[in-house]
């Protein structure tokens, strides 16, 4: 009996085993996600214990001037005898603190404004959308430069707050668009018809369907904040007394480390920036694969129905095969009695 492709897909889905815990944790089984989380976890560990395991004071000068990597100084020393490894370990905390604080603040603002605008609609939508458009065109770098010129001690937290205030608008617009497509779904209308309050519909009906989009926006904001913080430190806008990877590159560039052949002064910081950016990008790719089934490769994708041109899907049955008098194989069918 020939069936349509849709019926064949239904039959294959019926034969598939019931979803288990491994299927629910499909996001954490992807190779990109696991690799990104492992690298990110390593840097988070360094941020926590880095100042404690640093072999030297990162700002202490010594007689070991521009020494190449050795057993005493694994990453070599600077022009004033400072240990580069200690600077990298101590500076990891500042980079991650700015990135994650800015990511959290920007994500909270984007969720509050974007979801509220998309779900409420009307005048509230117009006002919140206008607010998002205003902040969308505010440049972060010039604003931070102006604030740093007026504030004597522009610390990491102030930079993180400014980055968050100038980077939430794009995520809010994305969440508003997603909420507009969800607020008229059947399950939302059913919750509204049963008398559920607005806050409960948003928290328990809308927000679970936006989790992956929110996570992707958070990771993207963290990447942007980390790169902007390093750029500010490298250009000397941020406080250079606070150690981070951008500060290491600033002093290396100021003292012409490349011209002196002191590659160990700037290569470790550059590799750390590249590895951290790659880790966050891999996590973002894993989130994209989790959201979009067409991008799933090794993240536990479900069984696919492969169609072949020129062949009609046929339902598999347990009907025995019989031999015709001519010797050809054929299926036995129940014949209806002829009148």
């Amino acid at each position: 009996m020939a069936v349509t492709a849709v019926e064949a897909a239904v039959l294959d889905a019926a034969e598939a085993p019931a979803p288990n815990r491994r299927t629910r944790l499909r996001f954490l089984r992807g190779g990109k996600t696991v690799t990104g989380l492992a690298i990110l976890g390593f840097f988070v560990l360094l941020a926590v214990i880095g100042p404690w395991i640093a072999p030297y004071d990162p700002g202490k000068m010594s007689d070991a001037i521009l020494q190449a990597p050795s057993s005493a100084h694994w990453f070599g020393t600077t022009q004033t005898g400072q240990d580069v490894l200690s600077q990298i370990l101590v500076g990891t905390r500042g980079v991650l603190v700015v990135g994650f604080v800015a990511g959290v603040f920007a994500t909270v603002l984007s969720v509050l404004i974007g979801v509220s605008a998309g779900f409420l609609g009307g005048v509230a939508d117009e006002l919140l959308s206008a607010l998002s458009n205003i902040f969308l065109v505010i440049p972060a770098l010039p604003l931070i430069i102006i604030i740093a010129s007026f504030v004597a001690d522009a610390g990491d937290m102030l930079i993180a707050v400014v980055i968050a205030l100038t980077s939430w608008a794009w995520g809010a617009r994305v969440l508003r668009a997603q909420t507009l497509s969800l607020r008229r779904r059947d399950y939302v209308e059913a919750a509204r018809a049963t008398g559920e309050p607005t806050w409960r519909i948003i928290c328990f009906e809308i927000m679970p369907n936006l989790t992956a989009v929110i996570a992707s926006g958070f990771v993207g904001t963290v990447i942007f904040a980390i790169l902007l913080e390093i750029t500010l430190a490298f250009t000397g806008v941020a406080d250079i007394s606070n150690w981070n990877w951008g500060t290491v590159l600033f002093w290396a560039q100021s003292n012409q480390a490349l011209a002196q052949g002191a590659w160990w002064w700037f290569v470790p910081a550059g590799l750390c920036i590249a590895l951290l950016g790659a880790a966050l990008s891999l996590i973002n790719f894993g989130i994209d694969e989790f959201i979009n089934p067409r991008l799933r490769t090794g993240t536990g994708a479900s069984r696919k129905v492969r169609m072949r041109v020129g062949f009609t899907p046929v339902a598999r049955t347990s009907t025995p095969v019989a031999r015709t008098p001519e010797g050809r194989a054929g299926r036995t069918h129940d014949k209806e009695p002829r009148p």
Side-chain angles (χ1 to χ4, degrees):
M1 178 182 63
V3 296
T4 62
V6 176
E7 293 174 346
V10 172
L11 291 175
D12 288 342
E15 295 176 359
N20 50 21
R21 186 176 181 182
R22 295 183 61 187
T23 304
R24 299 188 186 100
L25 297 179
R26 181 172 53 231
F27 171 70
L28 298 178
R29 290 162 50 199
K32 297 177 182 178
T33 307
V34 173
T35 304
L37 289 176
I39 299 175
L40 180 60
F42 171 74
F43 282 111
V44 171
L45 180 63
L46 288 184
V48 174
I49 66 175
W52 300 338
I53 64 175
Y56 303 95
D57 184 357
K60 184 179 180 179
M61 302 180 184
S62 65
D63 297 332
I65 298 175
L66 282 181
Q67 288 190 357
S70 61
S71 58
H73 302 278
W74 289 5
F75 287 178
T77 59
T78 67
Q79 192 174 8
T80 56
Q82 298 169 337
D83 185 65
V84 178
L85 175 61
S86 300
Q87 295 177 356
I88 296 295
L89 292 175
V90 175
T92 304
R93 178 177 296 181
V95 172
L96 292 184
V97 165
V98 171
F100 281 100
V101 169
V104 170
F105 284 173
T107 303
V108 171
L109 289 175
S110 63
V111 170
L112 289 177
I113 296 177
V115 176
S116 299
F119 187 81
L120 297 177
V123 179
D125 184 14
E126 294 180 1
L127 293 177
L128 294 177
S129 297
L131 182 64
S132 301
N133 294 332
I134 293 173
F135 277 89
L136 191 63
V137 298
I138 296 178
L141 185 59
L143 181 61
I144 294 176
I145 293 175
I146 294 174
I147 293 176
S149 63
F150 285 98
V151 179
D153 185 13
D156 293 338
M157 293 302 299
L158 179 60
I159 294 176
V161 171
V162 175
I163 294 175
L165 290 176
T166 54
S167 59
W168 62 267
W170 179 255
R173 291 181 63 87
V174 174
L175 291 174
R176 174 184 174 274
Q178 294 293 326
T179 306
L180 286 174
S181 65
L182 292 174
R183 67 176 184 174
R184 295 303 179 187
R185 298 290 176 89
D186 293 340
Y187 56 89
V188 177
E189 294 293 343
R192 188 182 289 110
T194 56
E196 294 287 345
T198 302
W199 68 268
R200 186 175 180 84
I201 296 175
I202 293 176
C203 294
F204 294 95
E205 303 294 341
I206 301 295
M207 292 294 293
N209 294 281
L210 298 175
T211 303
V213 180
I214 295 172
S216 180
F218 169 75
V219 174
T221 305
V222 171
I223 295 175
F224 171 74
I226 289 175
L227 294 179
L228 186 56
E229 163 68 7
I230 293 173
T231 301
L232 293 171
F234 177 70
T235 55
V237 175
D239 188 4
I240 58 177
S241 62
N242 297 327
W243 287 105
N244 59 55
W245 299 339
T247 307
V248 177
L249 295 177
F250 169 80
W251 289 112
Q253 189 270 340
S254 300
N255 293 278
Q256 298 181 354
L258 181 61
Q260 299 184 58
W263 56 268
W264 57 86
W265 196 345
F266 55 87
V267 168
L271 288 177
C272 289
I273 296 171
L275 284 176
L276 182 58
L280 294 172
S281 299
L282 288 174
I283 295 174
N284 204 4
F285 292 155
I287 295 174
D288 290 339
E289 290 182 355
F290 182 75
I291 297 174
N292 190 354
R294 295 183 179 181
L295 299 178
R296 295 176 189 170
T297 54
T299 56
S302 58
R303 295 178 59 187
K304 299 180 180 179
V305 179
R306 296 184 178 180
M307 304 298 297
R308 297 177 61 186
V309 178
F311 291 87
T312 303
V314 178
R316 294 186 293 270
T317 61
S318 58
T319 306
V321 178
R323 291 285 178 178
T324 60
E326 292 79 3
R328 294 176 297 177
R331 292 186 181 275
T332 59
H333 301 279
D334 295 335
K335 297 182 179 180
E336 297 181 359
R338 294 183 180 180

